[in-house]
Amino acid sequence: MPSNRRQFLVTTAMLSASLSLPRVALSDDAMVSESDSNAQALGYRADATTVDKAKYPKYASGQMCSTCQFYQGAAADPTAPCPLFGTKRVSGKGWCNSYIKKAA
């Protein structure tokens, strides 16, 4: 009997893990929306050229997510995860008020 119970527990654990993997993979691909509450709080724009310079005087021409230290991708990647938005991806051409230029 113990081996049947052990086999059941192992099979159940493997099945549970395999069912949760697709949800994790899908959430990793989610893009930040400008309407998300966190995005609004940080002034995120998917296109940096649309930033309201009067509202965000910190913004300077040429700043974009792909050159920010928080951007977790190569500068040439069109999108990448950003830890400021959990597991969501940001546009490489985007911008938010937490922008910090990536060290050279």
Side-chain angles (χ1 to χ4, degrees):
M1 288 269 194
S3 66
N4 285 340
R5 182 176 179 199
R6 187 175 316 149
Q7 184 178 7
F8 171 77
L9 291 173
V10 169
T11 303
T12 303
M14 288 174 39
L15 180 60
S16 296
S18 68
L19 291 175
S20 67
L21 287 176
R23 283 186 231 127
V24 170
L26 289 175
S27 67
D28 287 345
D29 291 337
M31 290 292 294
V32 172
S33 169
E34 291 181 4
S35 62
D36 289 351
S37 60
N38 193 29
Q40 288 181 347
L42 293 173
Y44 174 76
R45 293 287 174 252
D47 180 359
T49 62
T50 64
V51 173
D52 181 352
K53 295 173 186 149
K55 189 172 181 179
Y56 299 103
K58 180 181 169 186
Y59 172 76
S61 182
Q63 292 180 347
M64 61 182 117
C65 291
S66 64
T67 62
C68 177
Q69 76 174 9
F70 297 116
Y71 193 71
Q72 296 182 335
D77 292 345
T79 65
C82 177
L84 300 176
F85 298 101
T87 61
K88 293 185 178 181
R89 301 175 75 78
V90 295
S91 168
K93 294 180 180 184
W95 183 87
C96 84
N97 202 35
S98 294
Y99 175 86
I100 299 174
K101 184 174 174 75
K102 193 179 290 189

